[in-house]
């Protein structure tokens, strides 16, 4: 599985492209001063931060405490994060199991029993991305500091906010005394930012009994696009994503690998083996009509119509082009760990319906002559989860009730990766859901300095998750 910098670069680029069109400049200015107020909704309330004492909210206190635990790969300790989550669950009488993976890595499993062993799994990951430029932080990255209306800290988005939303929803369910129709499993895993080798992938291989009766799984992912706080453009729940295969190019010569990296970056792969998979077409049926640009709406309605015209195809946004082709990304040349030479990590992204062997043709012999290529483990599924599952249907219905007449539907992750692809490979229907109505002013910090989330959006999203779990606990298949 890819090293942290591979996923970090890939995820950051994807997030920038996904969120760049969220809000017009005027709405950004408004969002700095006002907040998340949705007219015509059962959630209507004064979400302005001045009259709200958010620091007294239980979910905010839990969030701050979790953010204060350094669970980054370089300096942090996931065991401390798992221990914190276990202690919160224990206070409500919910037992959990912590699986330590060495001194600093850990997975946590907790189960709230239902009337059936069939399980709804709420998945999150304990680790966060590293702090690469601490000097650029105005706030302590692990301080959980509040500067109203925002709370700052590494992992505020990815993904400690979602973790606390899941945790708080389980606490509320336990307090209600309702016995769910099926078990609820809270699963916090290790090392997602490093490829999940000691987390999701390890658990699927070494503890498969945890997933034998999985009804469905909810994790991070999806997208919330809004033109302004009261104008949601598209609320998408992630149902599929590309499969990522790492290839290592090895050579005793650093210069040779630098030349290969340049060749890959300069090569035009735009028109190679373009196709529209049925799962992508189903996604576009929902997503395409929500685009602001008439050109994009027309293109996404019939994408194959422009595949033979490079000029028209290049009018697609880059993250749209990613839906229809294999993509290849070279990363900086590194010295080999054993000191034997140098390595160039190359990531190949495969949409649904594509196989690895044809994709390797993106690295022809003329380009790789004299370089030794090693194809690493090919893991994860690009197949999409079903669109008629009660999880997706319930999410869509809840968002519609909460926010009124908005476009909701599936989302196919175009250029980034989550652990959902590993669960799908194991045959588990998996969905990436973000409950937070956030704007570019919040999301621009994901993975960078001063990552933070607006507390009105956070508190509102936690309540949305509580309501979601309340509906799903007795949802029939």
């Amino acid at each position: 599985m890819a090293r942290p910098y591979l996923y970090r670069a890939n995820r950051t680029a994807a997030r920038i492209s996904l969120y760049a069109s969220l809000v017009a400049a005027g709405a950004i200015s408004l969002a700095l001063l006002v907040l998340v107020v949705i007219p015509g909704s059962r959630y209507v309330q004064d979400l302005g931060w001045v009259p709200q004492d958010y620091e007294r909210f239980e979910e905010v206190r839990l969030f701050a405490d979790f953010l204060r635990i350094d669970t980054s790969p370089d300096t942090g300790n996931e065991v401390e994060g798992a221990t914190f989550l276990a202690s919160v669950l224990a206070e409500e009488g919910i037992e959990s199991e912590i699986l330590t993976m060495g001194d600093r890595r850990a997975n946590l499993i907790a189960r709230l029993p239902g009337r059936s062993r069939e399980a709804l799994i709420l998945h999150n990951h304990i680790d966060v991305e590293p702090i690469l430029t601490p000097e650029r932080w105005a706030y302590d990255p692990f301080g959980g500091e509040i500067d109203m209306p925002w709370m700052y800290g590494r992992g505020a988005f990815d993904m400690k906010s979602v973790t606390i939303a899941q945790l708080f929803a389980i606490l509320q369910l336990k307090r209600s005394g309702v016995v769910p129709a099926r078990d609820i499993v809270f699963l916090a895993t290790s090392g997602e930012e490093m490829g999940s080798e000691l987390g999701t992938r390890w658990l699927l291989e070494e503890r498969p009994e945890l997933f034998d009766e999985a009804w469905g799984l909810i994790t991070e992912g999806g997208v919330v696009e809004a033109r302004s706080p009261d104008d949601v453009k598209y609320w998408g729940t992630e149902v599929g994503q590309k499969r990522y295969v790492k290839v290592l190019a090895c050579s005793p010569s650093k210069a040779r690998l630098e030349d290969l990296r340049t060749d890959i970056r300069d090569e035009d792969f735009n028109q190679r083996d373009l196709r529209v998979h049925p799962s992508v077409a189903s996604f576009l049926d929902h997503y395409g009509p929500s685009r602001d640009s008439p050109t994009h709406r027309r293109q996404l309605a019939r994408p194959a119509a422009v595949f033979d015209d490079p000029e028209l195809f290049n009018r697609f946004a880059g993250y749209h082009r990613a839906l229809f082709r294999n993509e290849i990304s070279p990363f900086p040349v590194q010295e080999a760990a054993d000191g034997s030479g140098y390595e160039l990590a190359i990531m190949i992204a495969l949409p649904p319906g594509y196989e690895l062997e044809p994709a390797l043709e993106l690295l022809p012999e003329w380009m790789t002559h004299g370089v030794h290529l090693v194809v690493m483990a090919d893991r994860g599924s690009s197949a999409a989860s079903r669109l008629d599952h009660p999880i997706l249907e319930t999410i869509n219905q809840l968002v519609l009730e909460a926010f009124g007449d908005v476009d909701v539907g599936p989302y196919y992750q175009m250029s980034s990766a989550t652990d959902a692809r590993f669960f799908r490979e194991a045959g588990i229907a998996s969905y990436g859901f973000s409950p937070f109505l956030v704007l570019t002013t919040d999301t621009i910090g994901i993975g960078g300095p001063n990552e933070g989330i607006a507390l009105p959006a956070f508190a509102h999203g936690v309540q949305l998750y509580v309501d979601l779990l309340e509906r799903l606990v007795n949802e029939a298949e």
Side-chain angles (χ1 to χ4, degrees), residues 254-328:
K254 182 178 182 180
R256 177 66 189 92
L257 294 182
E258 293 287 4
D259 287 343
L260 173 58
R261 184 169 185 257
T262 299
D263 287 341
I264 295 173
R265 291 162 66 96
D266 290 346
E267 184 71 5
D268 182 9
F269 297 110
N270 273 353
Q271 302 304 115
R272 306 284 183 87
D273 193 17
L274 302 176
R275 64 181 86 165
V276 185
H277 191 270
S279 62
V280 172
S282 295
F283 155 58
L284 293 178
D285 286 343
H286 294 82
Y287 173 80
S290 72
R291 301 302 87 196
D292 288 328
S293 164
T295 299
H296 283 171
R297 290 198 296 271
R298 287 194 302 270
Q299 287 177 323
L300 295 176
R302 298 179 62 246
V306 302
F307 282 177
D308 293 330
D309 188 327
E311 182 179 350
L312 290 177
F313 182 72
N314 283 328
R315 292 181 187 174
F316 279 117
Y319 51 92
H320 291 158
R321 293 196 296 269
L323 289 167
F324 313 119
R325 65 183 185 187
N326 295 317
E327 293 193 316
I328 182 169

Side-chain angles (χ1 to χ4, degrees), residues 83-98:
T83 301
F84 166 76
L85 296 173
S87 68
V88 175
L89 291 164
E91 289 179 2
E92 292 299 326
I94 303 173
E95 297 182 357
S96 56
E97 177 185 9
I98 296 177

Side-chain angles (χ1 to χ4, degrees), residues 49-64:
W49 59 268
V50 175
Q52 298 282 358
D53 189 1
Y54 285 103
E55 294 181 63
R56 295 176 64 88
F57 288 20
E58 180 184 5
E59 61 269 37
V60 172
R61 295 199 306 270
L62 290 171
F63 187 30

Side-chain angles (χ1 to χ4, degrees), residues 11-22 222-225 287 291 319 411-416 443:
R11 290 160 68 102
T12 300
R15 285 167 178 150
I16 290 173
S17 66
L18 289 175
Y19 289 110
S21 62
L22 289 184
V223 66
V224 180
E225 299 179 348
Y287 173 80
R291 301 302 87 196
Y319 51 92
Y411 190 78
Y412 199 93
Q413 208 102 328
M414 303 172 195
S415 301
S416 59
T443 61

Side-chain angles (χ1 to χ4, degrees), residues 136-393:
R136 294 177 58 195
W137 282 75
Y139 304 88
D140 181 351
F142 300 106
E145 295 184 43
I146 296 176
D147 187 357
M148 290 302 298
W150 288 280
M151 179 180 285
Y152 293 94
R154 172 57 88 232
F157 268 103
D158 187 13
M159 66 172 289
K160 289 186 174 181
S161 54
V162 177
T163 302
I164 295 302
Q166 294 176 341
L167 178 70
F168 193 73
I170 289 176
L171 298 182
Q172 294 297 88
L173 178 61
K174 181 66 163 57
R175 291 165 183 169
S176 73
V178 172
V179 178
R182 54 181 60 86
D183 287 3
I184 308 297
V185 174
F186 180 81
L187 180 63
T189 60
S190 170
E192 190 270 350
E193 306 293 355
M194 299 181 292
S196 304
E197 292 182 9
L198 298 178
T200 293
R201 291 168 59 187
W202 186 91
L203 288 166
L204 286 167
E205 293 175 2
E206 303 298 330
R207 296 289 300 272
E209 72 280 0
L210 294 173
F211 311 100
D212 284 345
E213 298 184 67
W215 174 68
L217 179 143
I218 310 176
T219 185
E220 65 179 329
V223 66
V224 180
E225 299 179 348
R227 299 180 182 90
S228 69
D230 61 352
D231 187 3
V232 179
K233 179 178 177 180
Y234 191 75
W235 200 304
T237 298
E238 188 266 334
V239 298
Q241 57 193 261
K242 287 187 170 184
R243 187 167 96 249
Y244 292 86
V245 181
K246 176 182 172 182
V247 176
L248 273 184
C250 307
S251 173
S253 169
K254 182 178 182 180
R256 177 66 189 92
L257 294 182
E258 293 287 4
D259 287 343
L260 173 58
R261 184 169 185 257
T262 299
D263 287 341
I264 295 173
R265 291 162 66 96
D266 290 346
E267 184 71 5
D268 182 9
F269 297 110
N270 273 353
Q271 302 304 115
R272 306 284 183 87
D273 193 17
L274 302 176
R275 64 181 86 165
V276 185
H277 191 270
S279 62
V280 172
S282 295
F283 155 58
L284 293 178
D285 286 343
H286 294 82
Y287 173 80
S290 72
R291 301 302 87 196
D292 288 328
S293 164
T295 299
H296 283 171
R297 290 198 296 271
R298 287 194 302 270
Q299 287 177 323
L300 295 176
R302 298 179 62 246
V306 302
F307 282 177
D308 293 330
D309 188 327
E311 182 179 350
L312 290 177
F313 182 72
N314 283 328
R315 292 181 187 174
F316 279 117
Y319 51 92
H320 291 158
R321 293 196 296 269
L323 289 167
F324 313 119
R325 65 183 185 187
N326 295 317
E327 293 193 316
I328 182 169
S329 302
F331 293 86
V333 176
Q334 304 282 323
E335 187 173 355
D338 60 5
S340 61
Y342 296 89
E343 298 174 346
L344 170 64
I346 303 166
M347 193 69 76
I348 297 178
L350 305 171
Y354 286 79
E355 300 300 328
L356 176 60
E357 288 304 319
L360 289 174
E361 295 177 6
L362 298 175
L363 296 170
E365 186 176 354
W366 69 262
M367 188 183 288
T368 60
H369 181 72
V371 173
H372 179 57
L373 296 181
V374 180
V375 179
M376 309 300 284
D378 177 11
R379 292 293 307 275
S381 173
S382 59
S385 296
R386 41 184 278 221
L387 301 188
D388 62 348
H389 195 286
I391 288 177
L392 181 60
E393 293 176 340

